[in-house]
Amino acid sequence: GENVEQHPSTLSVQEGDSAVIKCTYSDSASNYFPWYKQELGKRPQLIIDIRSNVGEKKDQRIAVTLNKTAKHFSLHITETQPEDSAVYFCAASLNTGTASKLTFGTGTRLQVTL
Amino acid sequence: DAGVIQSPRHEVTEMGQEVTLRCKPISGHNSLFWYRQTMMRGLELLIYFNNNVPIDDSGMPEDRFSAKMPNASFSTLKIQPSEPRDSAVYFCASSLNRMNTEAFFGQGTRLTVV
């Protein structure tokens, strides 16, 4: 089955700096890579996703890149703000023909300091 | 739509007792997922259903865990008998059965087994 590894497990940056979180996946058949943000005590929520026919996608201060050959993808947050502090999860989706199964990375706890 | 609804939000039970967690997916969604979240193991997929049929239960930790989806609007996850190591946050998520679509999470059930 799919295996997703995520690094780093914790990340501390100063407000205004950039943050980068990296993930690798094992199954070359995976073709959908969402990123979820989970604030303390709340549910994970999708913030951005990328499909395998795209190499990069941006949404304001957030961008994702995908390298299918190397089987890794990254989340970039620019001009970080205190409200970006949360746990971020990457995921890879393997479509089985009957449903899309999401496998998550272990999460990165991002702390944005003033 | 009110989103994915889980109940109860919190459950404290004694070791050995039966625990039943409930989930109502978003209307029209035909894929449903049960995840367990712990600090040590992150978000683990326990089981998922497509059109009320279990597709993959390889993540269910042991026979004490069982899940059902009797209809499109309701699913349960049961633990019997419960053990302290089952303490975690259990999330239910639903999505449309199309490739590469967002999974929407419920608020989660925080289970504590004492």
Side-chain angles (χ1 to χ4, degrees):
Chain A
E2 176 66 276
N3 182 49
V4 177
E5 295 191 354
Q6 183 172 347
H7 302 280
S9 57
T10 59
L11 179 59
S12 182
V13 299
Q14 285 198 323
E15 183 180 7
D17 288 350
S18 296
V20 180
I21 302 170
K22 299 182 179 181
C23 291
T24 60
Y25 61 100
S26 60
D27 194 326
S28 56
S30 291
N31 55 8
Y32 175 61
F33 307 93
W35 287 86
Y36 283 76
K37 176 183 180 182
Q38 186 179 27
E39 297 177 351
L40 187 63
K42 297 192 176 180
R43 74 186 86 187
Q45 291 190 290
L46 181 76
I47 55 171
I48 195 168
D49 56 16
I50 191 167
R51 289 165 174 74
S52 60
N53 57 345
V54 175
E56 183 175 1
K57 182 177 179 180
K58 288 184 180 180
D59 183 2
Q60 299 181 353
R61 297 186 296 107
I62 295 174
V64 290
T65 58
L66 171 65
N67 183 328
K68 282 210 71 180
T69 303
K71 291 190 283 187
H72 65 70
F73 56 114
S74 301
L75 176 71
H76 304 252
I77 306 174
T78 58
E79 301 173 22
T80 54
Q81 300 169 3
E83 52 264 39
D84 295 330
S85 296
V87 178
Y88 292 80
F89 292 94
C90 62
S93 178
L94 175 62
N95 186 278
T96 64
T98 52
S100 291
K101 175 180 174 179
L102 267 182
T103 301
F104 283 88
T106 49
T108 296
R109 184 174 299 278
L110 174 63
Q111 180 70 45
V112 180
T113 58
L114 298 174
Chain B
D1 200 314
V4 177
I5 299 174
Q6 292 185 244
S7 64
R9 291 290 308 277
H10 303 274
E11 176 79 32
V12 180
T13 190
E14 290 186 346
M15 181 174 63
Q17 296 297 307
E18 175 182 304
V19 175
T20 299
L21 312 181
R22 297 173 176 80
C23 175
K24 181 181 187 306
I26 292 173
S27 178
H29 283 189
N30 46 16
S31 289
L32 183 141
F33 308 84
W34 282 100
Y35 286 91
R36 177 172 69 176
Q37 185 174 35
T38 60
M39 287 292 292
M40 293 298 295
R41 302 174 69 90
L43 271 168
E44 300 175 275
L45 178 64
L46 301 178
I47 184 171
Y48 75 98
F49 296 82
N50 185 52
N51 293 326
N52 314 337
V53 175
I55 302 300
D56 184 348
D57 65 354
S58 59
M60 296 287 260
E62 45 196 280
D63 292 345
R64 298 184 296 106
F65 287 69
S66 62
K68 294 182 179 180
M69 192 165 186
N71 57 62
S73 59
F74 183 66
S75 177
T76 60
L77 178 68
K78 184 180 292 187
I79 308 172
Q80 180 184 23
S82 58
E83 297 182 2
R85 59 195 170 114
D86 301 331
S87 297
V89 179
Y90 290 80
F91 285 102
C92 174
S94 72
S95 70
L96 288 169
N97 182 22
R98 291 200 305 259
M99 284 183 64
N100 309 332
T101 57
E102 177 182 358
F104 292 83
F105 282 77
Q107 296 273 33
T109 295
R110 180 173 296 277
L111 173 66
T112 303
V113 183
V114 298

